Amino acid sequence: MRDLHFKTKTHQAWAGIVSTVDRGNFVFVHIRSSKTGKELNNYKLPADLAEQVEKIKSYSALVAYAKANQITDSASDAHRGSDSSSVPSCPAPALTPAKSSEQERGILFVEVDTVGRGKDTEIIEISVVDNTENVLFHSRVRPSKPYKDVPMGEPSFAEIWQGLSNAIGRADIAFYNADFTKRYILQSIAKAFDTPKPEHFYTLFPYNKVICVGERYKEFNNYRLGYFCNYGLQHINSACGQSGLFWKDVSNSPSGNAIKSARLWKYLDHKAVA
């Protein structure tokens, strides 16, 4: 494994193979402050994860992966009890490129519900729907702090992350409003794994094509109404209504909105062919 070096304005990280007489080889991740040089954290990972670690492309992804997959001492395991195994690992980026899933109509539609504002916004519900409107994944999510009328008995984002990432795999990912939803996912990852927010969405899904259904509809709608029109992103219900699509049979939940997004995408595909 080649050594990895990442540096941000506040932190820097090194990862490489370390050999010891008593414990053999392992991947060692060392974190220190960029400003003071002070050592902040060290993580030991199993040596068989070296190939996956080597594929990581950013500081934030390295830290998240190290925290989720570190080797703990038996004393630490005894102290943590069953809690240490209850949180799924944050997976490394996919090792091979995705197939051309768009041509196979394998696009997945992802929508979320959130709580909080600005940098404090986090996901409290998320759904993944395929092109035939089947719900492949759905979960409510416990926020990192209490909010009025938000249940706190749901699993955390860290606990649902493995199931979510497995459901998405390497398929193309479609959001109605991609910029917002990607940011909310990154913020939720940061809170769940106690790590700086990943700099880019492709840190987590580097080979997944990301599609913005709302932007595609906006371009189609402005072209349809005239070259000089410049309407912004419509609400998903308005976009479906303007397109003559039936949408009132599904709720305004993440699952319902993902289904609407799938219908709108198929409508735009039909118009493009026509």
Side-chain angles (χ1 to χ4, degrees):
M1 170 185 168
R2 63 180 175 84
D3 291 354
L4 295 181
H5 296 272
F6 296 112
K7 187 174 182 180
T8 68
K9 291 181 179 180
T10 56
H11 298 84
Q12 51 185 308
W14 172 88
I17 290 287
V18 171
S19 299
T20 61
V21 176
D22 55 340
R23 295 193 178 186
N25 297 340
F26 57 85
V27 178
F28 187 73
V29 179
H30 177 71
I31 311 295
R32 65 172 59 240
S33 169
S34 294
K35 296 181 178 179
T36 65
K38 180 181 178 181
E39 181 178 296
L40 300 177
N41 272 307
N42 293 316
Y43 303 98
K44 286 188 265 186
L45 284 68
D48 56 6
L49 296 181
E51 183 179 353
Q52 296 185 19
V53 172
E54 194 173 8
K55 300 292 183 179
I56 293 177
K57 302 297 184 184
S58 74
Y59 166 83
S60 53
L62 176 62
V63 173
Y65 191 70
K67 285 185 177 182
N69 294 282
Q70 63 180 311
I71 302 171
T72 58
D73 295 333
S74 57
S76 299
D77 289 339
H79 175 71
R80 289 186 181 186
S82 60
D83 290 342
S84 62
S85 60
S86 62
V87 178
S89 299
C90 181
L95 302 182
T96 56
K99 295 180 180 178
S100 182
S101 56
E102 183 177 351
Q103 295 179 357
E104 300 169 1
R105 292 298 180 264
I107 302 172
L108 299 182
F109 300 85
V110 180
E111 296 298 334
V112 303
D113 190 12
T114 62
V115 69
R117 293 184 177 182
K119 294 181 179 180
D120 291 327
T121 303
E122 52 187 314
I123 293 170
I124 57 172
E125 188 175 357
I126 187 165
S127 289
V128 180
V129 173
D130 67 15
N131 206 36
T132 60
E133 302 182 10
N134 292 316
V135 179
L136 303 182
F137 179 87
H138 171 265
S139 181
R140 296 184 184 275
V141 182
R142 180 179 72 248
S144 60
K145 61 182 180 180
Y147 287 89
K148 184 179 179 181
D149 299 326
V150 177
M152 295 298 291
E154 307 296 342
S156 68
F157 199 81
E159 291 169 325
I160 65 106
W161 171 247
Q162 190 70 62
L164 172 65
S165 59
N166 287 345
I168 293 174
R170 300 178 192 145
D172 296 343
I173 308 171
F175 307 102
Y176 184 75
N177 190 336
D179 287 345
F180 280 90
T181 309
K182 287 191 297 182
R183 185 170 81 240
Y184 299 152
I185 291 175
L186 296 180
Q187 289 179 183
S188 295
I189 281 287
K191 290 178 181 293
F193 291 97
D194 190 25
T195 184
K197 189 181 84 169
E199 297 176 10
H200 304 286
F201 189 73
Y202 60 74
T203 299
L204 303 172
F205 298 100
Y207 299 110
N208 301 66
K209 180 180 178 181
V210 176
I211 299 163
C212 183
V213 179
E215 284 292 333
R216 189 183 181 193
Y217 175 75
K218 183 180 76 172
E219 293 174 4
F220 166 78
N221 197 40
N222 288 338
Y223 175 79
R224 178 178 62 180
L225 297 176
Y227 288 106
F228 298 104
C229 293
N230 189 24
Y231 292 98
L233 205 67
Q234 302 286 318
H235 188 280
I236 191 168
N237 291 347
S238 299
C240 288
Q242 292 165 5
S243 303
L245 299 174
F246 192 60
W247 56 271
K248 293 185 178 181
D249 59 324
V250 292
S251 66
N252 290 320
S253 66
S255 294
N257 287 338
I259 290 173
K260 296 170 197 173
S261 190
R263 292 176 182 177
L264 188 60
W265 179 262
K266 286 184 283 189
Y267 167 81
L268 294 171
D269 259 4
H270 172 73
K271 286 296 183 181
V273 172

